[in-house]
């Protein structure tokens, strides 16, 4: 199961969001799709559930969504946003 680091907080802006790691002081800007992924993971959804939900919401992008979600999750793991 993917878990959000307890040190990471999400702050939404008008057109994106920022993830702040309060422990390290690093931050990451994410787009609206990344925000949706983060929020679903924070709610306990699995990677497959996230992909399924996004494909249902955005069928025109269904061919790209699995790869984009996997890439974002990999990036968040390396950045220790996910633990």
């Amino acid at each position: 199961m993917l878990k959000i680091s307890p040190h990471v907080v999400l702050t939404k802006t008008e057109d994106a969001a920022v993830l702040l790691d309060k422990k390290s002081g690093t931050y990451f800007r994410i787009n609206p799709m990344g925000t949706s992924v983060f929020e679903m993971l924070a709610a306990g959804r699995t990677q497959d559930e996230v992909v399924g939900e996004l494909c249902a919401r955005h069928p025109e992008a269904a061919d790209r969504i699995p790869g984009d979600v996997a890439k974002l999750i990999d990036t968040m793991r390396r950045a220790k946003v996910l633990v």
Side-chain angles (χ1 to χ4, degrees):
M1 180 175 174
L2 300 169
K3 287 182 61 179
I4 305 297
S5 167
H7 306 288
V8 173
V9 294
L10 172 73
T11 301
K12 292 184 182 182
T13 65
E14 277 188 36
D15 62 344
V18 175
L19 298 174
L20 170 65
D21 183 328
K22 297 184 295 184
K23 185 175 181 181
S24 69
T26 57
Y27 62 93
F28 312 90
R29 186 169 187 259
I30 55 176
N31 64 22
M33 185 75 73
T35 303
S36 293
V37 171
F38 180 87
E39 290 175 330
M40 285 188 267
L41 293 174
R45 308 280 295 274
T46 67
Q47 182 172 340
D48 288 341
E49 290 171 332
V50 170
V51 168
E53 175 68 27
L54 291 175
C55 286
R57 287 186 202 171
H58 307 281
E60 73 285 355
D63 60 325
R64 293 190 334 261
I65 289 172
D68 288 352
V69 169
K71 184 177 176 181
L72 178 59
I73 286 174
D74 182 58
T75 299
M76 288 195 296
R77 278 185 173 137
R78 283 186 279 116
K80 296 188 175 36
V81 169
L82 294 173
V83 292

